[in-house]
């Protein structure tokens, strides 16, 4: 085994994803303890330019038409042979639609241990993971084998993993990538909604606590009184109560309004990822232990239905008067 | 077409979670278990596929408090076979051990398609879908929110951030990690579940050996240390609303 820390860079449609920079920041922290290099692993086709912004000591770049877009079957072949051959101290992935498809498969294929949902590396070099919707943290030590780690956002600012000094890139030949069992047919772009919530300054956001579609209308009333718009957590959208364009979070939009008023939202990490940069977050939730109160500036522990009518009335009054 | 859908029971996050005296695990004494929400979507997707194109649907789950009820509920929704994996699951096992134990059961069923939730909130050592796919030698695609069967392939919708979808063709047999079913999981009347309890039977398979290698030991489990918690606003509805209006004015949204 060598002491290097690898980070498997993620990109989508020609853009490096922010999680890659966050991984590089976490990798730097691990490399301080291990004494090895931070090595970015980049896969693509004509994608070498993506290496320019990576804060890594060096970049291993695989170029192959089969790596032009994410395909777990192809990516796994490349990464399995690289990791098996070099046995770095640790390999970091995003806990994302790309990294999560890879890390568990590699753990089983290579028989290397996996630590999931790592939020940051502690000062003592421990892996601190976040589980149970943000309610529980765990602390683990790297195994004495190559340790695979998936990283969630929140622990490091992406800027820490970005650099203007283009790193040294080594291009490596990919192993044979034939007989792939997975093929991309096409990308389907999201449908544009009637409003772009990422540009709104007042967001009234509803979560599962809103209970049913009819109640979403009450939230609409509040938003109207304000001159703002309604957005939602994923379960509300999955129920079909609001369109996908209104979803905030990991799989939805990133928003940063002046006011984010969260009604009946627990504050799961996947939701927080999309709204943590709001200027002011106010949470209304009946559960005093809801993680949303850990990131909100103001909180009200109350049944939202006991408060909302009064609130609509007062806001409407203030706007009218 | 054989479709297998796998679920596991997880702590209900609405309840307060406590850490056991060892300081390394959740105290399971009072914890209420519910089906992992995304597994429920996987079950729904299996039933939708059966309704659309005909299939034999088998639901498989490790034994835990409430597993039987969820299995019978799945039968009431249209599942054909129910299989419970028995063994020493009391203290909870990690997903490496669970996936290793599930693999032979699935091999026996010869599924064309294995569906499970893309993750669970307590997946500390990775997720069941991709681990199982490797142990079975099948391809894996996760973050899936739509599945169509097309002869020897399936066409899946894989989600990326911001609502982008990749439509992918995957050779069968395959394992898919479901993010959301094409329709929200359906409800069934309690009377139908009772009916299923009388007519459906749960087959048992014993997980003889549970091998957790592949996970890391947890040194310490703790509740997040919060820097600055929200300033809580107390009072009756009127007082709270009045204070909120003051804040709205302070931050310039009113
Ligand atoms: C890969 C992946 C991607 C995801 N992407 C996203 C995403 O983009 N966006 C997203 O939001 N989620 C996403 N999720 C889901 C996320 O994990 C959570 O499940 C989800 O955010 C929870 O939504 P919620 O807070 O509305 O519901 P819950 O967690 O069920 O919380 C409901 C809250 O409402 C409160 N409540 C209930 N009734 C009342 C009442 N009457 N008054 C006041 N409060 C009440 C409860 O106390 C609870 O805190 C993703 C999950 C995965 C696995
Ligand atoms: N890809 C496969 N992997 C494992 N078993 C299969 C596969 N395809 C078919 N079978 C099994 O072969 C038999 C005939 O399948 P079929 O004709 O596809 O319905 C059934 O018992 C299936 O379970």
């Amino acid at each position: 085994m060598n002491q290097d820390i690898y980070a498997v860079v993620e990109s989508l449609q020609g853009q490096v994803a922010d999680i890659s920079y966050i991984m590089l920041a976490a990798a730097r922290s691990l490399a301080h303890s291990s004494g090895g290099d931070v090595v970015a692993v980049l896969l693509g086709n004509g994608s070498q330019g993506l290496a320019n912004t990576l804060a890594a000591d060096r970049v291993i770049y695989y170029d192959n038409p089969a790596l032009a877009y994410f395909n777990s079957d192809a990516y796994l072949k490349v990464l399995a042979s690289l990791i098996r051959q070099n046995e770095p101290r640790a390999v970091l992935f995003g806990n994302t639609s790309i990294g999560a498809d890879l890390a568990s498969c590699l753990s089983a294929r290579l028989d290397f241990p996996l630590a999931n949902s790592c939020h940051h590396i502690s000062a003592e070099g421990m892996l601190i993971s976040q589980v149970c919707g943000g309610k529980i943290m765990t602390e683990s030590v790297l195994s004495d084998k190559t340790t695979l780690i998936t990283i969630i956002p929140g622990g490091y600012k992406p800027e820490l993993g970005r650099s203007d000094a283009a790193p040294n890139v080594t291009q490596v030949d990919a192993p044979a990538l034939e007989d792939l069992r997975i093929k991309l047919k096409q990308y389907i772009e999201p449908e544009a909604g009637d409003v772009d919530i990422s540009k709104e300054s007042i967001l009234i956001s509803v979560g599962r606590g809103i209970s049913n579609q009819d109640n979403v209308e009450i939230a609409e009333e509040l938003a109207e009184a304000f001159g703002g718009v309604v957005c939602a957590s994923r379960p509300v959208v999955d129920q079909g109560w609001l369109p996908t364009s209104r979803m905030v979070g990991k799989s939805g939009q990133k928003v940063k309004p002046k006011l984010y008023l969260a009604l009946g939202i627990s504050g799961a990490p996947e939701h927080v990822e999309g709204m943590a940069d709001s200027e002011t977050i106010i949470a209304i939730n009946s559960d005093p232990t809801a993680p949303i109160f850990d990131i909100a500036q103001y909180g009200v522990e109350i049944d939202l239905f006991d408060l909302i009518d009064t609130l609509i009335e007062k806001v409407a009054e203030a706007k009218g008067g | 077409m054989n479709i297998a859908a796998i679920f596991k029971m997880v702590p209900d996050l609405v309840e307060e979670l406590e850490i056991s005296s060892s300081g390394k695990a959740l105290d399971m004494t009072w914890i209420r278990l519910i089906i992992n929400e995304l597994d429920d979507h996987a079950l729904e997707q299996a039933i939708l596929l059966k309704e659309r194109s005909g299939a034999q649907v088998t639901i498989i789950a490790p034994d835990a408090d409430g597993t039987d009820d969820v299995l019978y509920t799945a039968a009431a929704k249209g599942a054909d076979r129910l299989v419970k994996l028995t063994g020493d699951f009391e203290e909870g096992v990690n997903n490496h051990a669970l996936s290793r134990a599930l693999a032979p059961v699935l091999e026996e069923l010869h599924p064309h398609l294995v569906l499970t939730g893309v993750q669970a909130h307590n997946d500390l050592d990775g997720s069941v879908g991709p681990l199982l796919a490797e142990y079975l030698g099948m391809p894996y695609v996760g973050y899936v929110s739509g599945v169509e069967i097309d002869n020897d392939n399936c066409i899946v919708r894989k989600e990326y951030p911001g609502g982008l979808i990749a439509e992918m063709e995957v050779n069968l047999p395959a394992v898919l990690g479901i993010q959301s079913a094409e329709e929200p999981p359906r409800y069934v009347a309690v009377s139908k579940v009772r009916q299923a309890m009388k007519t459906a039977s749960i087959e048992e398979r014993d997980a003889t050996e549970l091998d957790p290698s592949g996970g890391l030991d947890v040194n310490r489990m703790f509740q997040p240390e919060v820097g600055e918690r929200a300033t809580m606003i107390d009072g009756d509805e009127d007082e709270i609303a009045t204070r909120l209006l003051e804040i709205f004015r302070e931050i310039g949204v009113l």
Side-chain angles (χ1 to χ4, degrees), chain B residues 55-216:
Chain B
Q56 154 115 354
V57 172
T58 305
I59 312 291
I60 308 161
D63 194 9
D65 251 6
T67 296
D68 288 10
D69 289 343
V70 179
L71 284 170
Y72 286 126
T73 305
K77 291 178 180 179
D80 302 287
R81 270 178 85 179
L82 311 176
V83 178
K84 183 165 69 173
L85 189 62
T86 56
D88 200 5
F89 294 112
E90 199 101 312
E91 293 303 305
V93 295
N94 71 13
N95 286 335
H96 280 79
L98 178 57
S99 305
R100 284 189 185 101
L102 284 166
V105 179
L106 283 151
E107 269 159 2
E108 169 204 330
L109 289 168
H110 294 296
H112 303 85
L113 196 56
V114 181
L115 306 180
T116 188
V118 65
Q119 68 176 57
H121 64 64
N122 60 357
D123 283 352
L124 245 186
D125 65 317
S127 300
V128 173
L131 289 167
L132 186 59
E134 281 296 316
Y135 295 135
L136 294 171
M138 295 182 188
Y140 173 77
V141 178
Y143 286 64
V144 168
S145 61
V147 187
E148 205 68 62
I149 309 280
D150 178 22
N151 298 313
D152 294 334
N153 299 307
C154 62
I155 312 294
V156 307
R157 290 163 64 89
K158 177 176 176 66
E159 288 193 5
Y160 286 111
L164 179 71
I165 302 284
E167 197 178 69
M168 313 201 89
E169 185 181 273
V170 188
N171 296 356
L172 298 178
V175 181
L176 302 177
I178 301 295
Q179 167 78 64
S180 64
E182 288 155 36
E183 313 267 346
R186 68 193 72 191
Y187 291 97
V188 278
V190 179
S191 59
K192 278 195 147 183
V193 178
R194 286 220 191 88
Q195 187 64 28
M197 284 177 175
K198 286 185 200 131
T199 52
S201 61
I202 297 177
E203 302 167 46
E204 296 194 358
R205 296 288 183 282
D206 195 31
T208 38
E209 189 198 5
L210 290 169
D211 170 8
S213 63
L216 293 186

Side-chain angles (χ1 to χ4, degrees), chain A:
Chain A
M1 178 161 52
N2 70 58
Q3 294 305 316
D4 295 341
I5 311 295
Y6 284 14
V8 178
V9 174
E10 299 191 3
S11 68
L12 198 57
Q13 297 187 307
Q15 291 259 345
V16 175
D18 267 359
I19 191 73
S20 306
Y21 300 116
I22 294 171
M23 283 151 53
L24 287 168
R28 183 60 66 193
S29 170
L30 281 169
H32 277 310
S33 340
S34 76
D37 283 347
V38 170
V39 180
V41 181
L42 180 65
L43 292 77
N45 189 32
S47 319
Q48 185 159 1
L50 294 182
N52 290 337
T53 56
L54 305 174
D57 297 316
R58 53 200 167 84
V59 178
I60 300 176
Y61 173 56
Y62 288 95
D63 189 277
N64 191 295
L67 303 173
Y69 59 86
F70 177 65
N71 173 339
S72 59
D73 220 16
Y75 275 49
L76 285 168
K77 283 189 186 184
V78 173
L79 294 169
S81 90
L82 172 73
I83 298 167
R84 195 183 280 126
Q85 225 164 60
N86 296 4
E87 296 196 4
R89 184 75 196 84
V91 187
L92 275 49
F93 302 84
N95 190 4
T96 63
S97 193
I98 293 176
D101 277 17
L102 298 172
S104 293
C105 286
L106 287 167
S107 173
R109 193 175 295 187
L110 300 172
D111 200 16
F112 285 149
L114 171 61
N116 209 21
S117 298
C118 176
H119 177 267
H120 67 276
I121 316 298
S122 74
E124 297 79 33
M126 306 277 186
L127 308 176
I128 309 296
S129 289
Q130 189 183 41
V131 287
C132 297
K135 286 191 160 185
I136 296 286
M137 312 292 285
T138 64
E139 179 189 281
S140 327
V141 212
L142 289 187
S143 142
D144 48 17
K145 287 192 193 175
T146 295
T147 303
L148 311 178
I149 302 169
T150 71
I151 301 285
I152 58 170
Y156 301 91
K157 289 207 160 44
E159 294 80 73
L160 290 172
R162 218 177 261 144
S163 162
D164 293 335
N168 187 313
V169 180
T170 314
Q171 187 161 332
V172 186
D173 287 331
L177 294 172
E178 284 142 22
D179 303 321
L180 296 177
R181 300 169 294 180
I182 299 173
K183 260 209 311 270
L184 176 76
K185 294 196 65 157
Q186 59 170 336
Y187 280 121
I188 303 167
E189 297 289 338
E191 271 175 46
D194 50 344
V195 286
D196 180 354
I197 57 171
S198 70
K199 299 206 167 71
E200 291 290 327
S201 66
I202 299 176
L203 290 175
I204 309 301
S205 191
V206 294
R208 192 155 22 207
I210 203 78
S211 301
N212 60 50
Q213 184 151 26
D214 290 343
N215 291 336
V216 175
E217 276 172 36
I218 307 179
E220 299 268 11
E221 266 180 60
L222 179 59
E224 255 169 55
F226 256 122
V229 302
V230 167
C231 61
S233 68
R234 176 153 193 143
V236 171
V237 172
D238 280 345
Q239 284 295 324
W241 300 340
L242 279 169
T244 309
S245 57
R246 301 289 181 107
M247 179 160 67
V248 173
K250 177 176 176 140
S251 32
Q253 303 294 316
K254 311 264 180 285
V255 300
K256 35 181 186 338
K258 281 173 95 160
L259 170 65
Y260 191 87
L261 183 62
L263 302 173
I265 293 179
S266 63
E270 294 86 1
H271 185 77
V272 170
E273 194 177 323
M275 46 68 84
D277 292 336
S278 304
E279 278 177 40
T280 302
I281 299 167
I282 303 180
I284 298 176
N285 196 306
S286 47
D287 171 10
T289 71
I292 191 81
F293 290 129
D294 298 341
I295 61 139
Q297 281 80 36
Y298 299 97
V300 188
E301 180 197 336
I302 194 172
D303 184 323
L304 74 95
F305 299 110
D306 290 341
L307 181 66
I308 195 158
D309 290 336
T310 319
L311 198 56
I312 294 172
E313 220 171 275
K314 283 200 193 281
V315 171
E317 218 176 80
K319 281 276 180 185

